[in-house]
Amino acid sequence: MAERIAIILAAGVSSRMNTQIAKVLHEVCGRPMLAYVLDACRKIGIEKIYVVVGFSAKQVKERFSDANDITWVQQDEQLGTGHAVLCCKEHIKDFQGQTLVLCGDGPLIRTQTLTALIEEHESGQSAATLATAILEDPTGYGRIIRDKYNNIKGIIEDSDCTEEQLKVNEINPSYYLFNNKILLEALEKIQPDNVKKEYYLTDAVSGIIATGHKVLAVTAVRPEEAMGVNSRAQLSVASKIMQHRIQQELMENGVTIVDPDNTWIDARAKIDRDTIIEPFTYIHGEVIIGQNCRIGPFAFLRHGTVLNNNVVLGVYTEVKNTTLADGVRARHHSYLGDAIVGHNVNIGAGSITANFDGENINQTNIGDNSYIGAGSILIAPLDLQKDSHVNAGTVVSQENVNKLGKKGG
Ligand code: UD1
Ligand code: CA
């Protein structure tokens, strides 16, 4: 098997996003765009990934500081995608294998496409292979130009296209596999003679063809996977597509989502089977939900929520950084923050943990089989023993629990 590395381009200033934050850090369903592209590389077994950074490089590196398969490459001036790849030259000049080049602003990439790309590249023994897509509206993308025998001749950027070329609807999603040596040779020759005065990676593809090497373009990319995110509007479209994927996978794994269009589930959430997610539920961050739970309608589950099996969270219930044991019920209008709640606890309507005292976030523990009556305020830090019974409408502090003993309230 050929050795394979990946280069991900993530240095660009995103003027169209109108942002101070690096584009690849903008989130799609709770994860930065770059995370998805890295995942795709890892899933096909790539162990060495070069990420080219420039604009807000520090933030990007910080966000991914725990990844030990990334080599960061600096591109000080953003002179184009071809120039960005060339910035890796010192690292890869002696590498004899295949180089996958992807863009950090293409989070919708799927591993199946990369696998297809590799198969085509190897079976066709090409010097470069690109995966293409057919779009109804190809505006903004580089167009794949083919000759009358259907062989690829090159890629022309939208801004450089003739009227005729603009009509081509086969586009370049920027998923390429190159013979590394041939890639570097071609990159040395590209010139910024185009409308944007940039060094285009796409020109390296044309260059490889011009020098007589075999280049293949496989139409392997689904339209909804081809999107590069260049604007906030595209970010929202990409998020919607990703959300659909997340929900499809959950449903395949046995989760009922009553109304997918009116439900939002973070990419990091894990939900076990036979759990039912009612409409208008928003799950944000790392959230774990066990089996046979019923969530919503109108529930808001935030980062650090862990629900064991058979938990019921009803309308307007918000949970954050809290673990609920088997059988906990909070059916109406509750806030549980920074709490550990034992088995079969009933949280009455409108009861909340007052977890923030103005300076610190404090913890609430509620023992197994406790009953918290409606409209109670549990002032943290608070430790309620098992079988505690809090009457409706009680303001519970540790002080009055100690006074009243086990039958507090
Ligand atoms: C690029 C492709 C286009 C393709 C489209 C797919 C080129 C010239 N064009 O266009 O054919 O259809 O992607 O989405 O390659 N970047 C750097 N350094 C730079 C410039 C860009 O790292 O100097 C990075 C950007 O951060 C981004 C990626 O490369 O992640 C692509 O750059 P972008 O400017 O978005 O290219 P497009 O115009 O979308
Ligand atoms: Ca782009």
Short mmCIF file of all heavy atoms in Angstrom, two decimals, residues 16 137-143 156-159 166 171-172 196 230 234:
data_model
loop_
_atom_site.label_atom_id
_atom_site.label_comp_id
_atom_site.label_asym_id
_atom_site.label_seq_id
_atom_site.Cartn_x
_atom_site.Cartn_y
_atom_site.Cartn_z
N ARG A 16 -15.20 37.12 3.11
CA ARG A 16 -16.63 36.95 2.89
C ARG A 16 -17.38 36.56 4.17
O ARG A 16 -18.58 36.79 4.29
CB ARG A 16 -16.88 35.89 1.79
CG ARG A 16 -16.54 36.40 0.40
CD ARG A 16 -16.52 35.29 -0.63
NE ARG A 16 -15.29 34.50 -0.56
CZ ARG A 16 -14.98 33.54 -1.41
NH1 ARG A 16 -15.80 33.23 -2.39
NH2 ARG A 16 -13.84 32.87 -1.29
N ASP A 137 -26.33 24.81 -9.42
CA ASP A 137 -25.79 26.16 -9.47
C ASP A 137 -24.29 26.13 -9.11
O ASP A 137 -23.93 26.07 -7.93
CB ASP A 137 -26.54 27.06 -8.48
CG ASP A 137 -25.96 28.48 -8.47
OD1 ASP A 137 -25.11 28.79 -9.35
OD2 ASP A 137 -26.34 29.26 -7.58
N PRO A 138 -23.44 26.15 -10.12
CA PRO A 138 -21.99 26.02 -9.85
C PRO A 138 -21.30 27.34 -9.50
O PRO A 138 -20.08 27.37 -9.34
CB PRO A 138 -21.47 25.49 -11.19
CG PRO A 138 -22.39 26.06 -12.22
CD PRO A 138 -23.73 26.24 -11.57
N THR A 139 -22.08 28.40 -9.33
CA THR A 139 -21.50 29.73 -9.10
C THR A 139 -20.48 29.72 -7.97
O THR A 139 -20.74 29.19 -6.90
CB THR A 139 -22.61 30.75 -8.74
OG1 THR A 139 -23.63 30.64 -9.71
CG2 THR A 139 -22.08 32.18 -8.71
N GLY A 140 -19.32 30.31 -8.24
CA GLY A 140 -18.30 30.47 -7.21
C GLY A 140 -17.24 29.38 -7.21
O GLY A 140 -16.16 29.59 -6.67
N TYR A 141 -17.55 28.24 -7.79
CA TYR A 141 -16.59 27.13 -7.74
C TYR A 141 -15.72 27.08 -8.98
O TYR A 141 -16.11 27.54 -10.05
CB TYR A 141 -17.34 25.80 -7.61
CG TYR A 141 -18.05 25.64 -6.29
CD1 TYR A 141 -19.38 26.02 -6.16
CD2 TYR A 141 -17.38 25.15 -5.18
CE1 TYR A 141 -20.04 25.90 -4.94
CE2 TYR A 141 -18.02 25.03 -3.96
CZ TYR A 141 -19.35 25.39 -3.84
OH TYR A 141 -19.99 25.28 -2.64
N GLY A 142 -14.56 26.46 -8.85
CA GLY A 142 -13.72 26.19 -10.01
C GLY A 142 -14.43 25.17 -10.90
O GLY A 142 -15.01 24.20 -10.41
N ARG A 143 -14.38 25.41 -12.22
CA ARG A 143 -15.08 24.50 -13.16
C ARG A 143 -14.11 23.47 -13.73
O ARG A 143 -12.96 23.79 -14.05
CB ARG A 143 -15.70 25.29 -14.33
CG ARG A 143 -16.58 26.43 -13.94
CD ARG A 143 -17.83 25.97 -13.19
NE ARG A 143 -18.88 26.97 -13.34
CZ ARG A 143 -18.95 28.11 -12.66
NH1 ARG A 143 -18.03 28.40 -11.77
NH2 ARG A 143 -19.93 28.96 -12.88
N ILE A 156 -10.73 25.76 -14.15
CA ILE A 156 -10.71 27.23 -14.27
C ILE A 156 -11.55 27.83 -13.15
O ILE A 156 -12.71 27.42 -12.93
CB ILE A 156 -11.28 27.69 -15.65
CG1 ILE A 156 -10.61 26.95 -16.81
CG2 ILE A 156 -11.14 29.20 -15.79
CD1 ILE A 156 -9.21 27.38 -17.14
N GLU A 157 -10.97 28.76 -12.44
CA GLU A 157 -11.68 29.41 -11.35
C GLU A 157 -12.85 30.24 -11.88
O GLU A 157 -12.77 30.81 -12.98
CB GLU A 157 -10.72 30.32 -10.56
CG GLU A 157 -9.74 29.56 -9.72
CD GLU A 157 -10.43 28.54 -8.83
OE1 GLU A 157 -11.14 28.94 -7.90
OE2 GLU A 157 -10.26 27.33 -9.07
N ASP A 158 -13.88 30.34 -11.07
CA ASP A 158 -15.08 31.09 -11.44
C ASP A 158 -14.73 32.48 -11.99
O ASP A 158 -15.22 32.89 -13.05
CB ASP A 158 -15.96 31.22 -10.19
CG ASP A 158 -17.33 31.79 -10.47
OD1 ASP A 158 -18.24 31.02 -10.83
OD2 ASP A 158 -17.48 33.03 -10.34
N SER A 159 -13.84 33.17 -11.29
CA SER A 159 -13.53 34.55 -11.69
C SER A 159 -12.72 34.63 -12.99
O SER A 159 -12.60 35.70 -13.56
CB SER A 159 -12.79 35.27 -10.56
OG SER A 159 -11.74 34.46 -10.08
N LEU A 166 -18.46 29.29 -17.72
CA LEU A 166 -19.33 29.52 -16.56
C LEU A 166 -20.53 28.58 -16.56
O LEU A 166 -21.11 28.29 -15.52
CB LEU A 166 -19.81 30.97 -16.53
CG LEU A 166 -18.81 32.01 -16.02
CD1 LEU A 166 -19.40 33.42 -16.14
CD2 LEU A 166 -18.40 31.75 -14.57
N ILE A 171 -17.98 20.77 -10.97
CA ILE A 171 -17.11 21.68 -10.22
C ILE A 171 -16.05 20.92 -9.40
O ILE A 171 -16.12 19.71 -9.23
CB ILE A 171 -17.93 22.59 -9.28
CG1 ILE A 171 -18.67 21.78 -8.20
CG2 ILE A 171 -18.91 23.46 -10.06
CD1 ILE A 171 -18.04 21.78 -6.86
N ASN A 172 -15.14 21.72 -8.90
CA ASN A 172 -14.02 21.20 -8.11
C ASN A 172 -14.30 21.43 -6.62
O ASN A 172 -14.22 22.56 -6.15
CB ASN A 172 -12.75 21.96 -8.54
CG ASN A 172 -11.60 21.74 -7.58
OD1 ASN A 172 -11.46 20.66 -7.01
ND2 ASN A 172 -10.79 22.78 -7.40
N LYS A 196 -7.33 37.11 -9.65
CA LYS A 196 -7.02 37.38 -8.24
C LYS A 196 -5.54 37.54 -7.95
O LYS A 196 -5.16 37.81 -6.80
CB LYS A 196 -7.59 36.26 -7.37
CG LYS A 196 -9.10 36.23 -7.31
CD LYS A 196 -9.55 35.28 -6.21
CE LYS A 196 -11.06 35.16 -6.16
NZ LYS A 196 -11.48 33.91 -5.48
N ASN A 230 -17.80 29.67 2.48
CA ASN A 230 -17.13 30.96 2.29
C ASN A 230 -17.89 32.11 2.94
O ASN A 230 -17.40 33.23 2.97
CB ASN A 230 -16.99 31.26 0.79
CG ASN A 230 -16.08 30.25 0.11
OD1 ASN A 230 -15.12 29.77 0.69
ND2 ASN A 230 -16.41 29.92 -1.13
N GLN A 234 -23.53 30.25 3.83
CA GLN A 234 -23.11 28.88 3.52
C GLN A 234 -22.85 28.07 4.79
O GLN A 234 -23.10 26.87 4.83
CB GLN A 234 -21.86 28.89 2.62
CG GLN A 234 -22.20 29.29 1.19
CD GLN A 234 -20.97 29.47 0.32
OE1 GLN A 234 -19.91 29.86 0.82
NE2 GLN A 234 -21.13 29.20 -0.96
#
